[in-house]
């Protein structure tokens, strides 16, 4: 709630000569599907709801470098899917379609940067619609803080290592849209 970092474990053994002083929480890594919730957040801010339907069907997306044809993890397509189920099941094709209709990669890049991701230094076109699938790098600490922004109903606070650090906060996402994403992510079904 405060943005305070309570514990940070960067590696298994700090004194290990092999890899102990590598801070895994700060290293740049592929976030995989962890960026998809922010795609749906943008769609909710533009008027979609968890009941909005997206067609999870084979789809080709033209890009400046050719055709982008995403596939779902299980290599299946599921037809009409409510946003709630598409996000809950982490469907790739649906996420790409939702991003394309919800502002595109530039809107997602901007939203991620606003909630603290500092690793997205290329142009939005460089990432393309695959940004929602995790084709960029992110730091675990920054990504965890972005998720905390969702839990705070769209209120961004920078993470803080010391309680004496200044506390800043600003509302960057619509509260209802953030609540919907957090509700979907918390649903064990």
């Amino acid at each position: 709630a405060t943005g305070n970092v309570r514990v940070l474990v960067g590696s298994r053994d700090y004194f290990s000569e092999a890899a102990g002083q590598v801070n895994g929480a700060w290293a740049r890594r592929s976030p995989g599907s962890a960026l998809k919730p922010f795609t749906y957040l943008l769609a909710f801010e533009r008027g979609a709801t968890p009941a909005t339907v997206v067609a999870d069907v084979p789809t080709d997306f033209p890009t400046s470098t050719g055709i982008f044809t995403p596939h779902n993890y299980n290599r299946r397509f599921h037809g009409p899917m409510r946003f709630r189920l598409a996000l809950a099941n982490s469907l790739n094709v649906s996420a790409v379609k939702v991003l394309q209709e919800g502002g595109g990669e530039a809107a997602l890049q901007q939203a991620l940067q606003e909630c603290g991701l500092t690793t997205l230094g290329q142009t939005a076109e460089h990432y393309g619609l695959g940004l929602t699938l995790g084709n960029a790098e992110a730091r675990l600490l920054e990504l965890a803080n972005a998720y905390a922004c969702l839990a705070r109903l769209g209120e961004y606070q920078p993470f803080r290592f010391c309680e004496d650090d200044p506390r800043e906060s600003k509302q960057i996402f619509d509260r209802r849209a953030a609540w919907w994403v957090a509700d979907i992510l918390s649903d064990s079904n």
Side-chain angles (χ1 to χ4, degrees):
T2 64
N4 293 350
V5 175
R6 293 184 179 183
V7 174
L8 180 75
V9 178
S11 64
R12 286 177 57 176
D13 179 2
Y14 180 82
F15 297 103
S16 167
E17 291 183 21
Q21 296 181 15
V22 174
N23 186 342
W26 195 247
R28 294 171 173 243
R29 303 183 68 165
S30 170
S33 294
L35 302 182
K36 286 178 187 170
F38 298 94
T39 293
Y40 287 87
L41 174 80
L42 293 175
F44 295 154
E45 287 187 327
R46 291 174 174 255
T49 72
T52 300
V53 175
V54 60
D56 188 61
V57 297
T59 308
D60 294 330
F61 297 89
T63 72
S64 61
T65 59
I67 301 295
F68 173 47
T69 307
H71 297 279
N72 293 319
Y73 178 76
N74 64 3
R75 296 286 198 191
R76 293 182 173 164
F77 299 97
H78 305 275
M81 294 291 291
R82 289 181 288 132
F83 278 21
R84 172 178 278 282
L85 294 176
L87 174 56
N89 288 284
S90 192
L91 299 178
N92 292 339
V93 177
S94 296
V96 173
K97 282 187 168 190
V98 170
L99 179 59
Q100 183 183 46
E101 295 170 10
E105 59 270 19
L108 180 57
Q109 180 183 28
Q110 180 181 348
L112 293 169
Q113 288 173 332
E114 284 181 17
C115 60
L117 272 70
T118 62
T119 55
L120 303 174
Q122 301 290 331
T123 64
E125 294 76 29
H126 172 80
Y127 303 112
L129 295 171
L131 180 58
T132 191
L133 305 180
N135 71 356
E137 294 179 324
R139 293 182 170 107
L140 177 60
L141 183 59
E142 292 176 344
L143 189 56
N145 196 47
Y147 270 76
C149 180
L150 293 176
R152 289 189 295 264
L153 302 180
E155 179 187 319
Y156 171 74
Q157 294 179 28
F159 57 85
R160 303 181 320 162
F161 290 110
C162 299
E163 288 188 18
D164 295 343
D165 289 346
R167 185 169 185 239
E168 317 164 13
S169 68
K170 62 182 174 179
Q171 192 72 33
I172 60 171
F173 299 127
D174 176 79
R175 293 176 60 82
R176 179 185 307 199
W179 188 89
W180 279 338
V181 171
D183 182 61
I184 292 168
L185 295 178
S186 68
D187 186 348
S188 61
N189 292 321

